[in-house]
Structure formats: C-alpha cells, structure tokens
Amino acid sequence: MSRIIGDITVSLDGFVDGAGDGVEALHAWALVSDDPVDAAVLASVAGAGAVVMGRGTFDVVDGPHGWQDGLGYGAREDARPPFVVVTSSLPEEVRLAATHDFSFVTSGPAAAVAAAREAAGDADVYVMGGGTTVGSCLAAGLLDVLQLHVAPEALGSGTPLFTGSRHRLVQRDVRVSRAAVHLTYDVSEVPAPG
C-alpha cells in the first residue's frame, strides 16, 4: 500500500516561507546545490506516484515564472506524476495543461489525498505544500511520513509548519549536505491524555 509522505523545506526556525527575502535561500538545496546528497533526495522525491499541493503552490508553479522544461517537480528532475491541487476555487486556465496532469479538489485535503492515492496505485503519494497544506494533512492524521529539508536560514517570521497540534515523530533517516539537513520521520498518533 502506498504511503502518504509530507515533504517540505523549512527554515531553522520552522517557517516554510517568509515575509520578504530569504525564501529562495530555503530552496537552494533543490535549485542550485551540486551536493550528491541533495541530488539523491531529489531523485527519490521525483519517484512519487502522485503529488498533492495547495492552491498557492499551484499558482506559483503554473505562473509565468514557475515550472519550465527542465525545472519542475523534483527541481532538475522535472518529474511529471499526476498532481492533485487542494483549492476552494478552480483556476480559469492552466498554463501547464498540455504537459502536466493537474486535477483540482474543492472538498479539502482528505479528499485530495484520497484522489492522489487512487492515481498513484501502489506508489507513494507526496504532499509537497505549501505549509498550510502539509500542516493541515499532518494535523488531520493523513501523513504516514514527514520529510523535512531544513535549510540553514532563520526567517524570523512567515508561515509556520507546526501550528496548534502535537505530533510524535519517529526519526528514520538523517542525510546531511552542504545546503540542508534532510530528516525523515514516521508519524505516530499522540495518545490522548489520561
């Protein structure tokens, strides 16, 4: 059975994006690093059977400065699995419609994960973001695995990944490159108090 893997880059202080400069530095490990550890992480992510993303992330990747030939899901891997977008409203047009398989789910993250799982078959489903999407899937108990790519940046403010819910994570893997620390955790249920 496929696993649902939350996969997101965070700053040292736990933000997935910031107000102003610094966001590009978060993703340097994926966009400009030549470290073989980063390349191996990107190659494994590119093997996704399907990908869930939020509408904000979709608007960036489908925007005029978003994904292009040779730079897409998995950065230079440019993988093209089915993409399921969690949204409250459908886009008027999709720039990448001819080259990418996007579907849109308006009934929430659980429905998007279910649609992605069906599209992925036995392969893993990745929830790539943004932070609200990964965080809400984590809070709803939809994730089996959480992969964090910790960039050596402290943003000071922005969208936090963890908000208002407690999680017990079991560390499974740590990979260190010059540009990031890649952490993999199994997600466990936190027992109710007393």
Side-chain angles (χ1 to χ4, degrees):
M1 177 174 237
S2 65
R3 299 174 301 161
I4 308 301
I5 302 170
D7 185 83
I8 195 160
T9 300
V10 299
S11 65
L12 285 171
D13 50 353
F15 296 105
V16 297
D17 62 31
D21 293 337
V23 176
E24 289 299 320
L26 284 182
H27 301 286
W29 74 270
L31 298 174
V32 297
S33 173
D34 62 356
D35 192 297
V37 171
D38 298 325
V41 169
L42 288 171
S44 69
V45 168
V51 175
V52 175
M53 70 175 71
R55 178 61 186 267
T57 300
F58 168 77
D59 287 344
V60 170
V61 303
D62 195 55
H65 303 291
W67 290 346
Q68 308 291 331
D69 283 341
L71 182 65
Y73 181 68
R76 295 177 299 270
E77 294 291 324
D78 194 17
R80 300 188 184 186
F83 296 96
V84 179
V85 181
V86 182
T87 183
S88 59
S89 62
L90 301 177
E92 291 183 20
E93 61 182 272
V94 178
R95 177 181 64 88
L96 296 172
T99 58
H100 292 71
D101 177 9
F102 286 104
S103 60
F104 300 89
V105 172
T106 58
S107 49
V113 167
R117 179 171 261 157
E118 185 174 325
D122 292 334
D124 290 336
V125 171
Y126 280 73
V127 179
M128 71 172 279
T132 301
T133 302
V134 173
S136 63
C137 286
L138 181 62
L142 298 172
L143 301 182
D144 301 309
V145 175
L146 180 62
Q147 290 183 171
L148 300 177
H149 312 287
V150 183
E153 297 284 326
L155 297 179
S157 65
T159 304
L161 178 58
F162 302 105
T163 57
S165 59
R166 182 175 172 204
H167 306 281
R168 176 165 294 134
L169 305 174
V170 179
Q171 186 171 298
R172 293 295 178 211
D173 189 35
V174 177
R175 298 182 195 182
V176 179
S177 75
R178 293 183 306 273
V181 176
H182 307 281
L183 305 166
T184 302
Y185 298 97
D186 288 340
V187 179
S188 300
E189 294 292 322
V190 175

